[in-house]
Amino acid sequence: MKHSLLHNLRSFFRLLGQHRFYTAVCVVGTAVTIAFVMVVVMVYDFRTADVAPETRRSRVLYNYGTQCMRPDGSNMWGYRALGPTAFHAFFDNLPGVDELTWHGGLSKAVCALPASSDRRSVMLRAVAANWFDFFRYRFVAGRPFTQAEYDAGRAAFEQADDEWRLVRNREDGVVRRFIVISERLARQLYGGAAEAVGKQLLLDFQEARVVGVVADVSSIFQTAYADVWEPFTLMNEDNLDPNLATAGLIGFRYAVLHLSPGTSAAAVRAEVDRRLAQLNSQGLEYILKDPKLYTHTEYTFFRDGNISAGLVYALLLVVLLVVPAVGISGLVHAQMQSRLGEIAIRKAYGASNANIIGHLFIESLGTTLIGGVLGYALSCVLVVAGGTWLFGTGGVELQGIVLGSDLLLRPSLFLAVLAACLVFNALSTLLPAWMAVHRSISYTLTGGE
């Protein structure tokens, strides 16, 4: 059996060598087609699939800003995050939402080890107490901050004596900043994740203690990504504008809502709009308008545009797949016409119709598989090499993107695209082959003359 397999492989590659131009065009055409289709599918899949740590993408809504202004339309704040008053008015006990969390957006911070002049720029995200329950981070060392550590952030500030500021950081030697950091940052600062737990660092020149280390999160995860996560209480929201100036309508809270099974995004939006109208009717100095609530796909693609991301990508796939495939199919069909004489000779020597068709199908299958493997490899190279350009949307500054095997190795996607190419190639091969073997030998040899 092993000898027979080797013999068949040698015969296959010998046949490919006899038709080098045809083979090269089919392999390259299939590879390029699969590569570009896979890149499109990968980008869409990476940005929308339920992948850790954002395992709830298909059932979440994001609040990403609300307009605030006086009732006469003056003194407009533009689209800003919610303050505590509006946040609780909109989302407390909201029907159809079974879990809620929030964050303060992504910002740059400076971190360094104590007594070190080596400062590093990191991406910092202030998060709610239940953040690490809502998302599925993998802790490689330590743990999330506790409720007590989260609440300690409220005592990190004191009333200032300076006239130009209201509050300042406490300087009594008690650490009130407890943070979680990424594995990459832990390696850079301490040499490893385990070594980082319990250690102190300076975050924006204020002492903080590391309580946990999570596996690196790629920046393609717009909401879950950061280098450092700190308790939202450390934003000192209660003592800062715009929260103070708008009586809590505008602040620093970006909500993430997980919808209950059977709940539609439209129903949640309608209830939030009803609560918005109720809040605005209370005669406050400021009113709110147009709270932005996006599904994950809306949040990721064409935000604020009335465009269906799924439809756009589907049309793009059709163009990228069908147009090259039709061209390759035409070439295969023309090449098959040139081999009608070969088919007639095989029939004359006793080859059965099934044997001839099977032989031609194996050739087509082989070139498609070779092109498919090359195309998949090329798509991975394109995604990794051009990650910042391909994923550079959504308000996150993308840099140093790391795409692990759990993102790149998606066999179902590859097999689906490969199957589509195989169907086109098979039809363009089998149809003329079937027509040829059912003609008389003399008719095939003379070309129907």
Side-chain angles (χ1 to χ4, degrees):
M1 181 176 180
K2 182 178 180 181
H3 176 75
S4 176
L5 178 61
L6 290 174
H7 175 74
N8 290 334
L9 287 174
R10 291 194 187 98
S11 300
F12 169 70
F13 285 108
R14 185 169 60 252
L15 286 170
L16 293 183
Q18 294 174 359
H19 309 280
R20 293 179 182 177
F21 176 75
Y22 155 76
T23 300
V25 171
C26 286
V27 169
V28 172
T30 302
V32 171
T33 299
I34 287 183
F36 282 111
V37 170
M38 285 296 295
V39 166
V40 172
V41 173
M42 282 181 175
V43 170
Y44 187 83
D45 187 54
F46 294 166
R47 301 301 292 265
T48 59
D50 293 337
V51 180
E54 295 179 358
T55 56
R56 300 180 172 190
R57 286 171 162 180
S58 58
R59 298 294 302 165
V60 297
L61 286 180
Y62 303 92
N63 171 242
Y64 201 73
T66 303
Q67 283 187 316
C68 182
M69 65 195 76
R70 296 185 188 276
D72 61 3
S74 63
N75 202 20
M76 181 181 295
W77 285 82
Y79 283 100
R80 302 290 292 271
L82 293 178
T85 301
F87 182 87
H88 292 300
F90 287 169
F91 303 128
D92 280 0
N93 302 314
L94 187 61
V97 174
D98 57 22
E99 192 170 359
L100 167 69
T101 191
W102 71 90
H103 63 101
L106 199 63
S107 61
K108 285 188 176 180
V110 176
C111 79
L113 293 177
S116 172
S117 60
D118 182 18
R119 299 186 178 94
R120 301 174 185 274
S121 177
V122 296
M123 302 306 294
L124 171 68
R125 192 183 296 274
V127 298
N130 68 334
W131 186 263
F132 295 103
D133 294 324
F134 192 95
F135 293 98
R136 296 295 179 263
Y137 294 90
R138 181 171 64 87
F139 277 81
V140 295
R143 52 167 176 75
F145 32 75
T146 64
Q147 186 65 49
E149 291 166 344
Y150 179 83
D151 293 336
R154 305 183 195 281
F157 306 92
E158 63 182 354
Q159 294 298 317
D161 298 327
D162 309 84
E163 294 182 358
W164 59 278
R165 60 181 174 182
L166 298 174
V167 294
R168 65 185 176 193
N169 288 283
R170 288 184 182 273
E171 298 178 358
D172 52 11
V174 178
V175 176
R176 293 185 173 87
R177 297 168 71 96
F178 299 92
I179 60 175
V180 173
I181 65 175
S182 68
E183 188 175 10
R184 179 179 63 86
L185 184 59
R187 287 194 303 267
Q188 292 175 349
L189 295 177
Y190 305 102
E195 292 81 359
V197 177
K199 300 292 179 59
Q200 292 188 190
L201 56 79
L202 296 178
L203 187 62
D204 281 340
F205 307 102
Q206 301 296 324
E207 289 188 348
R209 178 172 296 159
V210 178
V211 298
V213 180
V214 298
D216 293 335
V217 179
S218 173
S219 53
I220 65 174
F221 295 102
Q222 300 177 59
T223 307
Y225 165 71
D227 297 312
V228 179
W229 296 262
E230 70 173 9
F232 183 83
T233 49
L234 288 166
M235 293 202 73
N236 195 26
E237 179 185 42
D238 293 339
N239 295 296
L240 298 178
D241 278 336
N243 177 55
L244 290 175
T246 62
L249 294 182
I250 295 299
F252 303 94
R253 302 184 183 212
Y254 295 102
V256 186
L257 297 75
H258 183 250
L259 303 185
S260 306
T263 301
S264 68
V268 174
R269 289 190 182 107
E271 174 61 18
V272 170
D273 287 340
R274 186 191 69 80
R275 295 185 176 197
L276 170 68
Q278 188 176 46
L279 180 64
N280 287 339
S281 67
Q282 295 180 9
L284 301 176
E285 181 182 2
Y286 285 88
I287 62 171
L288 298 177
K289 181 181 179 181
D290 192 22
K292 296 292 186 181
L293 281 173
Y294 300 101
T295 65
H296 182 82
T297 302
E298 292 167 344
Y299 181 73
T300 303
F301 301 103
F302 311 116
R303 197 179 300 173
D304 296 325
N306 295 320
I307 304 174
S308 170
L311 178 59
V312 170
Y313 271 79
L315 293 175
L316 184 58
L317 286 179
V318 169
V319 172
L320 289 176
L321 182 60
V322 173
V323 173
V326 169
I328 295 173
S329 299
L331 176 66
V332 172
H333 181 78
Q335 198 270 344
M336 286 299 304
Q337 293 297 116
S338 68
R339 297 179 65 181
L340 293 178
E342 174 190 334
I343 294 173
I345 292 174
R346 288 188 180 183
K347 286 191 65 176
Y349 278 92
S352 66
N353 292 347
N355 180 270
I356 294 173
I357 293 176
H359 180 82
L360 295 173
F361 176 74
I362 292 297
E363 286 185 39
S364 176
L365 176 64
T367 57
T368 303
L369 290 177
I370 294 172
V373 172
L374 292 176
Y376 181 74
L378 178 59
S379 67
C380 291
V381 171
L382 290 174
V383 168
V384 172
T388 301
W389 174 69
L390 290 170
F391 298 109
T393 59
V396 176
E397 182 177 342
L398 301 179
Q399 54 184 349
I401 293 176
V402 177
L403 299 176
S405 59
D406 58 332
L407 291 175
L408 290 177
L409 297 179
R410 310 302 285 273
S412 58
L413 297 178
F414 169 65
L415 291 177
V417 178
L418 182 64
C421 289
L422 181 59
V423 167
F424 279 105
N425 283 9
L427 289 176
S428 59
T429 299
L430 297 181
L431 184 59
W434 184 86
M435 295 173 61
V437 298
H438 285 83
R439 293 172 179 170
S440 66
I441 296 176
S442 60
Y443 182 88
T444 303
L445 285 173
T446 60
E449 296 178 358

PDB file of all heavy atoms in Angstrom, residues 54 62 83 105 172 193 219 406:
ATOM      1  N   GLU A  54     -12.820  38.610  25.201  1.00  0.00           N
ATOM      2  CA  GLU A  54     -14.135  39.165  24.879  1.00  0.00           C
ATOM      3  C   GLU A  54     -15.055  38.057  24.378  1.00  0.00           C
ATOM      4  O   GLU A  54     -15.413  37.988  23.210  1.00  0.00           O
ATOM      5  CB  GLU A  54     -13.993  40.283  23.840  1.00  0.00           C
ATOM      6  CG  GLU A  54     -13.208  41.484  24.369  1.00  0.00           C
ATOM      7  CD  GLU A  54     -13.050  42.598  23.340  1.00  0.00           C
ATOM      8  OE1 GLU A  54     -13.510  42.439  22.186  1.00  0.00           O
ATOM      9  OE2 GLU A  54     -12.445  43.625  23.684  1.00  0.00           O
ATOM     10  N   TYR A  62     -22.535  48.481  23.767  1.00  0.00           N
ATOM     11  CA  TYR A  62     -21.581  49.444  24.306  1.00  0.00           C
ATOM     12  C   TYR A  62     -22.199  50.829  24.283  1.00  0.00           C
ATOM     13  O   TYR A  62     -22.750  51.249  23.266  1.00  0.00           O
ATOM     14  CB  TYR A  62     -20.291  49.478  23.462  1.00  0.00           C
ATOM     15  CG  TYR A  62     -19.588  48.149  23.324  1.00  0.00           C
ATOM     16  CD1 TYR A  62     -19.866  47.303  22.250  1.00  0.00           C
ATOM     17  CD2 TYR A  62     -18.626  47.757  24.244  1.00  0.00           C
ATOM     18  CE1 TYR A  62     -19.206  46.101  22.110  1.00  0.00           C
ATOM     19  CE2 TYR A  62     -17.957  46.550  24.108  1.00  0.00           C
ATOM     20  CZ  TYR A  62     -18.250  45.718  23.044  1.00  0.00           C
ATOM     21  OH  TYR A  62     -17.603  44.523  22.905  1.00  0.00           O
ATOM     22  N   GLY A  83     -21.713  60.462  33.419  1.00  0.00           N
ATOM     23  CA  GLY A  83     -21.426  60.638  34.829  1.00  0.00           C
ATOM     24  C   GLY A  83     -22.300  59.700  35.650  1.00  0.00           C
ATOM     25  O   GLY A  83     -23.197  59.029  35.127  1.00  0.00           O
ATOM     26  N   GLY A 105     -12.270  54.291  29.715  1.00  0.00           N
ATOM     27  CA  GLY A 105     -11.545  54.528  28.480  1.00  0.00           C
ATOM     28  C   GLY A 105     -10.084  54.148  28.611  1.00  0.00           C
ATOM     29  O   GLY A 105      -9.601  53.738  29.674  1.00  0.00           O
ATOM     30  N   ASP A 172       0.769  59.665  52.554  1.00  0.00           N
ATOM     31  CA  ASP A 172       0.985  59.188  53.919  1.00  0.00           C
ATOM     32  C   ASP A 172       1.703  57.840  53.968  1.00  0.00           C
ATOM     33  O   ASP A 172       1.759  57.194  55.010  1.00  0.00           O
ATOM     34  CB  ASP A 172      -0.348  59.085  54.652  1.00  0.00           C
ATOM     35  CG  ASP A 172      -1.385  58.277  53.879  1.00  0.00           C
ATOM     36  OD1 ASP A 172      -1.001  57.641  52.882  1.00  0.00           O
ATOM     37  OD2 ASP A 172      -2.563  58.284  54.261  1.00  0.00           O
ATOM     38  N   ALA A 193       6.114  36.872  35.530  1.00  0.00           N
ATOM     39  CA  ALA A 193       4.806  37.171  36.114  1.00  0.00           C
ATOM     40  C   ALA A 193       4.789  36.929  37.615  1.00  0.00           C
ATOM     41  O   ALA A 193       4.304  37.761  38.387  1.00  0.00           O
ATOM     42  CB  ALA A 193       3.736  36.332  35.424  1.00  0.00           C
ATOM     43  N   SER A 219      -4.148  44.166  21.107  1.00  0.00           N
ATOM     44  CA  SER A 219      -4.862  45.433  20.996  1.00  0.00           C
ATOM     45  C   SER A 219      -5.994  45.392  19.983  1.00  0.00           C
ATOM     46  O   SER A 219      -6.710  46.386  19.819  1.00  0.00           O
ATOM     47  CB  SER A 219      -3.893  46.563  20.635  1.00  0.00           C
ATOM     48  OG  SER A 219      -3.132  46.238  19.500  1.00  0.00           O
ATOM     49  N   ASP A 406      -4.567  30.761  18.652  1.00  0.00           N
ATOM     50  CA  ASP A 406      -6.015  30.667  18.787  1.00  0.00           C
ATOM     51  C   ASP A 406      -6.747  31.601  17.834  1.00  0.00           C
ATOM     52  O   ASP A 406      -7.923  31.400  17.533  1.00  0.00           O
ATOM     53  CB  ASP A 406      -6.437  30.974  20.225  1.00  0.00           C
ATOM     54  CG  ASP A 406      -5.976  32.346  20.685  1.00  0.00           C
ATOM     55  OD1 ASP A 406      -4.945  32.821  20.173  1.00  0.00           O
ATOM     56  OD2 ASP A 406      -6.643  32.928  21.558  1.00  0.00           O
TER      57      ASP A 406
END
